[in-house]
Amino acid sequence: MAKILLVDDEPRIARVVRDMVEGADWQFAYADNGADALDAIAREAPDLIIMDVMMPKMDGFTACRELRARGVTVPVIFLSAKGDIVDKGVGFAAGGDDYMVKPFDPRELMMHIEAHLRRAAMRPTAAMPSTGTITVGRLSLDMAQHRATLGGEHVPLTPKEFKILATLAASPGTVLSREQLVEAAWGPEFVGETSSITVFIKKLRAKIEDDPTEPRIIETVWGIGYRLDPEACG
């Protein structure tokens, strides 16, 4: 039985999500702020987290960054009253897997939850091994530990950043579309939502390129997508 953790300080939202979750025969856990959510995650071990953005003590973006830093990889769906692309980009960059704008239709939230639970239960694809190491020149990706190094130096990456970089590194020199990268990082349910990929690519370049304004490792192929240049990895 799946366990869903809601982190939201609005009692009305809590009632709606609790009734929806329990009506689907899932377990429901709750915290009303980001700081308490970190303890709840360690205690409850949820299969999915629904996280409000604006909360007391600690906002949702900060809480998500912290749990990703702790190695928690369960899906996170952000809820927010703000729906512009900048806020969505911040949410995905913080380690979120999905973003829904309030007010939301509980039926749509249910579909998003089901999609993420299905994806989390799927075995990794052959193109993205769960063990072993992907090495391209000075770039090394430990798939079991989700640890990236460049020239022997550790590169701190969020789970989504790691998946995107690993997808590119698994096929060095091959141009991959934004849809392919979204599928690798979010799952096939979200292949039409490609706008956030540019945010993640920018974050990756800031961490692995000598000059992010003139990237050499992750190249943009205009109108198609991105490729990892094996020669630039040395």
Side-chain angles (χ1 to χ4, degrees), residues 68-131:
R68 295 311 190 207
R70 296 182 183 186
V72 178
T73 60
V74 300
V76 174
I77 300 175
F78 280 120
L79 300 178
S80 177
K82 297 181 179 180
D84 62 76
I85 189 62
V86 174
D87 286 292
K88 290 182 179 180
V90 173
F92 285 121
D97 299 90
D98 204 348
Y99 195 107
M100 292 190 64
V101 179
K102 297 179 180 179
F104 58 88
D105 187 325
R107 294 171 298 179
E108 183 180 0
L109 178 57
M110 174 68 78
M111 288 188 287
H112 283 241
I113 292 172
E114 290 174 340
H116 284 291
L117 291 178
R118 284 197 306 270
R119 184 63 181 175
M122 292 174 62
R123 296 172 63 87
T125 64
M128 186 85 99
S130 59
T131 60

Side-chain angles (χ1 to χ4, degrees), residues 132-148:
T133 302
I134 297 174
T135 302
V136 184
R138 298 178 298 121
L139 178 65
S140 181
L141 300 170
D142 185 326
M143 301 305 294
Q145 299 295 322
H146 275 223
R147 179 180 174 85

Side-chain angles (χ1 to χ4, degrees), residues 54-66:
M54 299 303 295
M55 295 182 293
K57 296 185 180 180
M58 182 184 292
D59 66 87
F61 292 158
T62 301
C64 188
R65 291 189 192 96
E66 177 61 27

